[in-house]
Amino acid sequence: MTGKTEQTTTAAAEALGYEQARDELIEVVRRLEAGGTTLEESLALWERGEELAGVCRRRLDGARARLDAALAEEAGAEEAGAEEAGETGQ
């Protein structure tokens, strides 16, 4: 792939949602496991699979960060509420 084509393909992959990337990755793996492709086709499929796996990983990492932030925010709010209740209870 040329640099410009590779950038376009990467940008297109990044635009996919997690489920879309996962489903396409499953199809890529199925095609690789089935065999019957040329070396060039297999390499292109492998590269696409790596790209899709990266998209999935980044989407999952982002979801984990959002979940961690929400849990930390909730814990902070509960802690502040407990402190407030302790101050008014005296």
Side-chain angles (χ1 to χ4, degrees), residues 2 4-6 8 15-17 24-26 31 33 40-41 44-47 49 51 56 67 69 77-78 81-82 88:
T2 65
K4 185 149 181 91
T5 304
E6 190 173 322
T8 303
L16 294 175
E24 187 178 339
L25 179 57
I26 289 168
R31 288 180 59 196
E33 288 177 341
E40 244 349 273
E41 291 169 331
L45 285 169
W46 179 270
E47 289 170 347
E51 189 174 44
C56 289
L67 178 59
E78 287 177 3
T88 58

Side-chain angles (χ1 to χ4, degrees), residues 6-22 24 48 51-56 58-59:
E6 190 173 322
Q7 288 174 348
T8 303
T9 304
T10 300
E14 288 298 328
L16 294 175
Y18 171 78
E19 290 80 5
Q20 293 169 310
R22 180 202 59 211
E24 187 178 339
R48 181 63 176 167
E51 189 174 44
L52 292 165
V55 170
C56 289
R58 286 186 291 281
R59 295 277 187 238

